[in-house]
């Protein structure tokens, strides 16, 4: 990604050929015969200058006695200065290092976020041995997984790291601790001033560091934990007397990871000075706005307001004008452009009063637009900060240059007297200063017809990647909450159910478990839905639905895949009719 203006484009030599996430393959640097630059689709000329090859000297920090190892399946070259360890790298005295008594669950290449932590070996028992002179050593090891292609999350009950038989790391996780970790960024805003690597990658990977004493000429680091508990990706050790140099090495290692992260994932920000029409507004705050320290403005709620949006003069100093029919919802949206830090601002709404009736303030629900990292390209290598959620809250932080948008929702009563209602939205700042915006609402007493077309979201569940046996009714409770929210917003369908599973076959007849699917359909009917869309989030489990599963077909006793599918679908259809 090349932003406008002069910039430096750095291409690390460890590139992938093809689409990395599908995956592609590492670039074969020994057989490059051409280098082509193309600026397809560029609206203006792109000039390249001062092209050069530079040796990778990022591992320039030298530490006497240091050993560095990178673990993985061997599908990608290790970070410079690291020795690659694959499941086949077994310890031998001649080699002097390797896996020892290791029970490997699997080796994996997640392809991101950087060459060092992208790959790893899941070790359930046993570990890694390296021959070193007797003495005390400092050990640095990462056992946290970067997650898989679909965002698979690392879970475990217990995991332990031992150094020469002595436990040095002992961690346990139950459902409450998992949820605290899983949702730790749920309420966190993203802003242009933040560094993505520092904000998310550094807390995500909690590397383990400990000292160990070697007395028999060998350091043996063992790992205990089921499945993905110990995703060993990197291990570094050095003599403790080299502590100062070792700390410099580890700090430099973090910056090397940052380099690869920032080269692979590129953030671009919206042009806050350019509106949806492409016009660059010239906004000059009035003396009153300078005195208050902010400017209020309203923009069509169908147009996104970014965190760095600057208002147009014609958008300021306007009342909020909306209209709605009985029983329907209508957004009330406005933004605040802070000219200086103003602390926390809290909102409230007055009653809406007409000549003949009153709508209580409780009919308006508060909300704040939350800006989060958002993919620009499908695979996420280019990302931005965009408005993503409406959080149910009545306050927001006002920081200079960071535009805040408030999204209130009027829930019009089912029975309402038509007319023009008036009220106001009140703002109270941390220093006690107040402000208000007039709110004018035209209401119609005539209810609108129910939507008669199929419309709804892709997906319907809000599951947790935790052990299913310990979740209880969590999945169903969240599913029912999703149904209620979808119905509230007028959706008539959704995707992802029913889920049924083939448990086995008997004389070419499938034994299908319909329990979960029946429950899902019952819940959908209860909330008023009359149609669902089956996609790969739901459907029939027990065989591969992505391709022709010939093995499953033959195991069921069929020679024709058409007959195999017809038998399954007929059984499902017969059950649906009886249900």
């Amino acid at each position: 990604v090349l932003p406008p203006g002069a910039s430096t484009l750095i291409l690390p030599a460890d590139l992938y050929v093809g689409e990395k996430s599908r995956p592609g393959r590492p670039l074969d640097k020994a057989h490059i015969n051409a280098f082509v630059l193309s600026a397809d689709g560029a609206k203006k000329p792109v000039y390249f200058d001062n092209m050069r090859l530079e040796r990778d000297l990022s591992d320039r920090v030298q530490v006497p006695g240091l050993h560095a190892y990178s673990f993985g399946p061997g599908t990608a070259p290790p970070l410079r200065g690291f020795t690659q360890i694959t499941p086949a790298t077994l310890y031998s005295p001649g080699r002097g290092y390797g896996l020892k008594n290791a029970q490997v669950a699997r080796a994996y290449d997640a392809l991101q976020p950087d060459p060092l932590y992208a790959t790893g070996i899941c070790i359930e028992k046993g570990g890694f041995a390296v021959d070193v002179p007797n003495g005390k050593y400092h050990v640095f090891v990462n056992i946290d997984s970067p997650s898989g292609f679909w965002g698979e999350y690392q879970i475990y009950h217990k995991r332990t790291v031992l150094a020469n038989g002595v436990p040095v790391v002992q961690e346990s996780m139950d459902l409450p601790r998992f949820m605290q970790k899983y949702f730790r960024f749920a309420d966190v805003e993203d802003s242009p001033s933040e560094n993505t690597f520092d904000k998310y990658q550094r807390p995500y990977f909690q590397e383990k560091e400990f000292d160990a004493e070697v007395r028999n000429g060998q350091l043996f680091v063992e790992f205990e934990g089921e499945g993905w508990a110990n995703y060993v990706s990197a291990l570094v050790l050095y003599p403790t007397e080299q502590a100062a140099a070792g700390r410099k090495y580890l700090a430099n290692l973090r910056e090397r990871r940052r380099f690869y992260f920032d080269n692979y994932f590129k953030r671009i920000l919206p042009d806050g000075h350019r509106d949806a029409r492409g016009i660059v507004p010239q906004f000059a705050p009035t003396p009153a706005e300078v005195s208050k320290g902010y400017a209020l403005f309203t923009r069509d709620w169908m147009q996104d307001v970014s965190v760095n949006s600057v208002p147009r003069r014609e958008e300021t100093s306007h009342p909020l004008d909306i209209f709605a029919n009985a029983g329907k919802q209508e957004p009330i949206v406005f933004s605040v452009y802070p000219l200086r830090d103003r602390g926390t601002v809290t909102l409230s709404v007055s009653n809406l009063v007409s000549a003949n009736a009153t709508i209580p303030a409780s009919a308006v629900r508060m909300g704040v637009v939350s800006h989060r990292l958002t993919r620009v390209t499908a695979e996420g290598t280019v990302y931005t900060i965009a408005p993503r959620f409406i959080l149910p809250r009545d306050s927001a932080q006002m920081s200079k240059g960071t535009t805040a948008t408030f999204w209130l929702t009027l829930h019009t009563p089912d029975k309402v007297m038509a007319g023009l209602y008036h009220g106001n939205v009140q703002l109270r700042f941390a220093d006690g200063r107040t402000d208000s915006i007039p709110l004018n609402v035209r209401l119609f007493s005539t209810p609108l017809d129910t939507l008669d077309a199929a419309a709804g979201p892709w997906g319907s569940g809000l599951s947790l990647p935790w052990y299913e046996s310990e979740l209880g009714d969590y999945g169903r409770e969240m599913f029912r909450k999703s149904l209620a929210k979808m119905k509230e917003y007028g959706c008539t369908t959704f995707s992802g159910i029913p889920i049924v599973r083939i448990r086995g076959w008997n004389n070419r007849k499938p034994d299908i478990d319909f329990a979960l699917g029946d429950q899902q359909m019952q819940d959908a009917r209860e909330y008023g839905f009359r149609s669902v869309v089956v996609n790969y989030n739901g459907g029939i489990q027990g065989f591969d639905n992505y391709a022709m599963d010939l093995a499953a077909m033959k195991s069921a006793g069929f020679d024709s895949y058409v007959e195999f599918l017809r038998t399954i679908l007929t059984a499902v259809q017969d059950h649906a009719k009886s249900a």
Side-chain angles (χ1 to χ4, degrees):
V1 176
L2 292 174
S7 61
T8 299
L9 175 66
I10 301 175
L11 297 177
D14 292 332
L15 297 173
Y16 277 75
V17 174
E19 186 178 354
K20 182 178 181 183
S21 59
R22 287 301 175 189
R25 60 169 175 80
L27 176 69
D28 182 0
K29 295 185 281 292
H31 293 86
I32 298 173
N33 54 36
F35 179 71
V36 180
L37 293 172
S38 175
D40 291 342
K43 296 180 180 180
K44 294 182 179 181
V46 179
Y47 298 93
F48 294 93
D49 187 20
N50 194 12
M51 295 175 57
R52 61 196 183 276
L53 290 173
E54 293 184 355
R55 185 177 298 277
D56 180 9
L57 299 177
S58 57
D59 62 336
R60 59 188 178 274
V61 178
Q62 301 299 312
V63 182
L66 180 140
H67 298 257
Y69 300 94
S70 175
F71 297 73
T75 54
L79 191 66
R80 180 180 173 87
F82 278 74
T83 299
Q84 188 170 65
I85 305 298
T86 73
T89 311
L90 304 181
Y91 172 80
S92 67
R95 178 180 279 144
Y97 63 86
L99 299 177
K100 182 178 179 180
N101 303 326
Q103 179 177 316
V104 174
R106 71 176 297 178
Y108 192 73
D109 185 352
L111 305 174
Q112 57 82 31
D114 61 76
L116 187 59
Y117 285 4
T119 63
I121 298 178
C122 300
I123 303 176
E124 295 184 311
K125 289 183 179 180
F128 181 78
V130 55
D131 294 339
V132 292
N134 290 342
K136 293 184 178 180
Y137 291 84
H138 186 74
V139 182
F140 169 98
V141 60
N142 177 60
I143 57 176
D144 290 331
S145 165
S147 298
F149 178 76
W150 293 107
E152 295 87 349
Y153 206 78
Q154 182 183 32
I155 61 174
Y156 56 87
H157 285 114
K158 292 182 179 180
R159 64 180 182 181
T160 303
V161 180
L162 302 95
N164 288 339
V166 179
V168 289
V169 176
Q170 292 180 303
E171 294 181 335
S172 61
M173 187 183 298
D174 54 17
L175 182 56
R177 291 179 184 175
F178 163 76
M179 293 184 69
Q180 183 179 16
K181 181 178 181 180
Y182 189 65
F183 291 111
R184 58 184 159 175
F185 297 120
D187 293 327
V188 175
E189 291 288 313
D190 291 316
S191 69
S193 62
E194 295 171 321
N195 179 272
T196 303
F197 182 89
D198 286 336
K199 184 174 182 179
Y200 292 109
Q201 292 298 298
R202 291 185 63 177
Y204 189 90
F205 295 101
Q206 294 292 305
E207 298 92 345
K208 313 307 175 188
E209 296 191 55
F210 50 87
D211 292 336
E213 185 171 359
V214 175
R215 296 177 179 177
N216 62 351
Q218 184 180 92
L219 175 64
F220 184 32
V221 181
E222 297 176 83
F223 305 92
E224 296 178 356
E226 74 276 10
W228 290 77
N230 294 299
Y231 181 92
V232 185
S233 58
L235 188 148
V236 176
L237 62 100
Y238 53 82
T240 54
E241 61 262 26
Q242 300 293 334
R247 285 193 296 270
K248 291 181 180 178
Y249 176 91
L250 295 177
N252 181 63
L253 180 61
R254 183 177 62 242
E255 294 310 306
R256 295 172 68 193
R257 291 182 50 235
R258 182 200 303 276
F259 165 80
Y260 279 97
F261 182 89
D262 288 341
N263 269 276
Y264 181 46
F265 298 101
K266 295 290 187 179
R267 189 184 76 174
I268 60 174
L269 293 176
D271 186 350
H273 290 270
R274 190 179 301 274
D275 64 21
R277 300 170 298 176
I279 299 174
V280 180
Q282 300 297 320
F283 178 75
T286 65
E289 291 168 340
V290 171
S291 175
K292 293 191 297 184
Y294 60 88
L296 297 170
F297 67 99
T298 57
R299 185 172 294 176
D300 189 318
W301 58 268
M302 291 295 286
Q303 296 182 21
D304 284 345
V305 177
S306 65
V307 292
N308 56 358
S309 284
V310 175
R312 300 188 295 269
R313 175 48 61 192
E314 62 268 25
E315 295 175 327
T316 63
S317 304
H318 287 292
L320 297 165
D321 296 318
I322 67 170
F323 66 90
N325 283 70
K328 298 302 178 182
Q329 301 180 33
E330 184 67 19
I332 306 168
V333 183
F334 68 95
S335 302
V336 181
Y337 176 62
L339 301 174
R340 63 175 184 270
D341 291 348
R342 296 291 283 112
T344 302
V345 60
T346 304
L347 299 188
S348 60
V349 178
S350 69
N351 293 335
L352 302 176
V353 181
S354 73
N356 301 305
T358 297
I359 304 296
S362 58
V364 178
R365 294 185 186 174
M366 300 297 178
V368 178
V369 174
S370 180
H371 295 80
R372 307 293 178 95
L373 299 184
T374 304
R375 292 182 295 178
V376 173
T377 54
E379 82 294 346
T381 53
V382 181
Y383 66 100
T384 188
I385 298 175
R388 287 286 301 277
F389 310 120
I390 302 173
L391 300 183
R393 56 181 55 160
D394 62 358
S395 63
Q397 193 72 18
M398 296 286 104
S399 301
K400 180 181 179 180
T402 301
T403 300
T405 298
F406 297 91
W407 190 293
L408 290 62
T409 304
L410 170 64
H411 289 250
T412 311
D414 292 332
K415 293 184 178 180
V416 65
M417 186 172 294
L420 183 61
Y421 292 73
H422 301 282
N424 59 75
V425 178
Q426 295 127 10
L427 298 83
R428 178 176 293 277
F429 291 86
D431 60 3
R433 183 164 185 164
T434 62
D435 204 344
S436 66
I437 310 173
L439 174 59
N440 304 319
V441 182
R442 181 173 294 279
L443 297 181
F444 300 91
S445 59
T446 306
L448 299 177
D449 293 337
T450 302
L451 182 67
D452 58 359
W458 175 272
S460 54
L462 293 170
S463 59
L464 278 180
W466 185 250
Y467 301 96
E468 187 173 347
S469 61
E470 300 176 16
L471 288 174
D473 292 332
Y474 180 90
R476 188 181 186 191
E477 291 175 0
M478 296 306 294
F479 175 60
R480 289 171 65 87
K481 288 181 179 180
S482 297
L483 293 177
K485 185 60 65 174
M486 288 187 289
K487 197 64 180 178
E488 176 187 338
Y489 279 85
C491 296
T492 57
T493 190
F494 57 89
S495 72
I497 72 164
I499 297 174
V500 300
R501 182 173 181 82
I502 301 175
R503 290 179 291 206
W505 289 82
N506 185 15
N507 295 326
R508 295 179 25 130
K509 292 184 178 180
D511 174 20
I512 303 179
D513 183 359
F514 289 103
L516 177 58
D518 287 346
Q519 184 184 85
Q520 292 170 330
M521 295 297 286
Q522 176 186 339
D523 289 340
R525 292 191 190 96
E526 182 180 329
Y527 281 89
F529 289 93
R530 294 294 177 264
S531 72
V532 296
V533 179
V534 179
N535 58 24
Y536 64 78
N537 290 321
I540 305 169
Q541 300 179 351
F543 71 104
D544 187 358
N545 265 310
Y546 282 94
M548 293 181 64
D549 192 340
L550 298 179
M553 177 196 73
K554 293 179 180 179
S555 177
F558 291 85
D559 295 323
S560 167
Y561 208 76
V562 172
E563 289 302 316
F564 172 66
L565 291 180
R566 179 182 287 117
T567 301
I568 296 173
L569 296 175
T570 299
V572 173
Q573 183 69 9
D574 290 344
H575 179 83
K577 291 178 180 178
S578 64

